[in-house]
Amino acid sequence: MTSFWTGKRVRLRGIEPDDWTAFMRFAVDEERSGDLLNPPRSAEGFRTWAKEQATAQADGDCFGLAIEALDTGEIVGAVGSHHADPRAGWFEYGVTIGADHRRKGYAAEAVVMLLRFMFAERRFHKCGARIFADNEASLVLHRRLGFVQEGRLRDQVFFAGHHHDLVMMGMLADEFAQQHSTSE
C-alpha cells in the first residue's frame, strides 16, 4: 500500500525549512498574476517562516502542506485547511501552484487528497473555498472537482488599486464521495 498522501503526480508533505525558496517564488507568482499584493518580504523572512512551519503543531484541523511533484521531487505548490469549525462540520481550504507548474493536474490531485482526508478521516460535512471572481482557471478547477457556486461577495477584497469580487464555492461530503472514488 502506498501512502495516503501520495498520488499519481504529487505527494503532500509537511513544510521543511529548505522549502523557503519555493514559497518565496510562489509569493512572486501571486504578485505577478495580480492575485495578491503584499509588501516585499526578505529572504530571511521566508527562511524564518519555513522554519516555524516545519516545527509548528497543527492548529486543530487547520494545517498547511507542501505539494511535491513525484517525478522531480520539486515543490510545486501548497494546500491547506483553515477556518475549520468541527462543531458545525465545515472548513475552508486554499491551494496555490507555482506559475511554472500550473495546468499539469497537481492542484486537482492535491485538493482531492486533502478533501478525502477532511471528509473521510476528520468527518467534516462541508468544504468552502473563496475564489477571486476573475480567476477563471481556479473557478473551472473547482467546478470540475464538484464544487458548487454558493454566492458572490461583491467588492469584498481590495488589492492592486481596485475592489474585487469573491466567489463562494462549496462541496458537501456526500457530493465528494459520489464524484471521487477511493481509487482515484
Side-chain angles (χ1 to χ4, degrees), residues 19-149:
D19 295 339
W20 71 271
T21 55
F23 284 92
M24 191 164 71
R25 281 193 321 273
F26 302 153
V28 170
D29 291 345
E30 286 180 346
E31 180 182 342
R32 283 187 183 143
S33 70
D35 279 352
L36 288 175
L37 182 59
N38 290 309
R41 200 159 140 194
S42 68
E44 185 58 33
F46 281 100
R47 275 193 287 274
T48 300
W49 175 85
K51 215 178 280 185
E52 290 169 357
Q53 293 300 304
T55 59
Q57 296 289 329
D59 179 16
D61 291 304
C62 298
F63 55 90
L65 300 170
I67 303 171
E68 181 181 285
L70 287 177
D71 58 349
T72 65
E74 185 179 4
I75 303 297
V76 298
V79 66
S81 60
H82 54 272
H83 303 290
D85 184 342
R87 186 174 169 275
W90 65 266
F91 70 99
E92 291 184 357
Y93 95 99
V95 62
T96 188
I97 300 292
D100 295 344
H101 306 287
R102 293 180 184 151
R103 296 189 179 4
K104 296 181 180 177
Y106 297 141
E109 188 171 74
V111 170
V112 167
M113 277 192 270
L114 175 73
L115 295 179
R116 184 169 287 124
F117 175 74
M118 295 299 282
F119 287 142
E121 297 297 319
R122 304 303 294 164
R123 296 188 179 100
F124 279 90
H125 174 68
K126 181 178 181 179
C127 175
R130 298 170 186 239
I131 302 161
F132 293 123
D134 61 351
N135 187 342
E136 191 58 37
S138 187
L139 292 168
V140 167
L141 167 71
H142 283 82
R143 287 183 191 110
R144 192 168 33 98
L145 289 173
F147 281 81
V148 174
Q149 182 171 329

Side-chain angles (χ1 to χ4, degrees), residues 148-180:
V148 174
Q149 182 171 329
E150 297 185 336
R152 184 182 193 107
L153 301 174
R154 297 176 306 130
D155 286 351
Q156 183 71 14
V157 180
F158 184 85
F159 65 87
H162 303 284
H163 285 94
H164 300 267
D165 291 0
L166 277 181
V167 175
M168 307 298 294
M169 300 197 80
M171 180 188 292
L172 303 178
D174 61 343
E175 295 168 340
F176 176 82
Q178 288 173 3
Q179 187 158 345
H180 301 280

